[in-house]
Amino acid sequence: MTDLAAAIGRIQLTKLASFIEARRSHAQAYDSAVIEAKNLYVPARLPGARHSFNQYTISCSNRDATEAWFTKCEIETRIYYPTPAHLQAPYNSAILLPVTEQAAREVLSIPVAPHLKEDEVSQIADALRGAP
């Protein structure tokens, strides 16, 4: 790491708590929208645990249609882990992990960055409500 990157990182660390709180606020708005959605779910969260929401990931039975819907709504999505680790070349194991494999087929992440404005969060929440 360069000295410049380290200096920037030190300043960013002072903002970390506010970044996480902004992400949690966005996630709360999305959670409310997902409850109203037809075919979307969020992974279960453990009681008492506090999520930092580096990503906000939804699960959908028809990811391609859901991804197309968000594209139509001009909302970027990401599939961070399309291939489960146990099926990647370094591991390429014969172990069957059906829940992991299903999640890899169904999950989709949506924007949750702390810099999102209120109207952008509302636009994403509206898209969640209308997702196929």
Side-chain angles (χ1 to χ4, degrees), residues 82-113:
T83 305
H86 71 286
L87 297 178
Q88 293 180 21
Y91 308 102
N92 205 5
S93 103
I95 296 172
L96 298 177
L97 299 173
V99 174
T100 300
E101 293 165 21
Q102 180 179 356
R105 289 189 303 271
E106 294 180 354
V107 297
L108 187 65
S109 295
I110 59 174
V112 71

Side-chain angles (χ1 to χ4, degrees), residues 14-69:
T14 66
K15 302 174 184 180
L16 183 60
S18 65
F19 288 169
I20 292 173
E21 282 310 310
R23 289 174 179 276
R24 287 179 177 149
S25 175
H26 301 342
Q28 187 174 14
Y30 298 166
D31 285 348
S32 296
V34 167
I35 290 169
E36 299 176 37
K38 297 175 190 152
N39 296 310
L40 302 181
Y41 309 93
V42 291
R45 300 185 195 126
L46 296 175
R50 296 203 50 185
H51 200 304
S52 65
F53 293 101
N54 187 49
Q55 287 107 22
Y56 187 91
T57 300
I58 57 174
S59 181
C60 39
S61 55
N62 188 342
R63 182 171 62 195
D64 291 343
T66 304
E67 189 174 24
W69 167 255

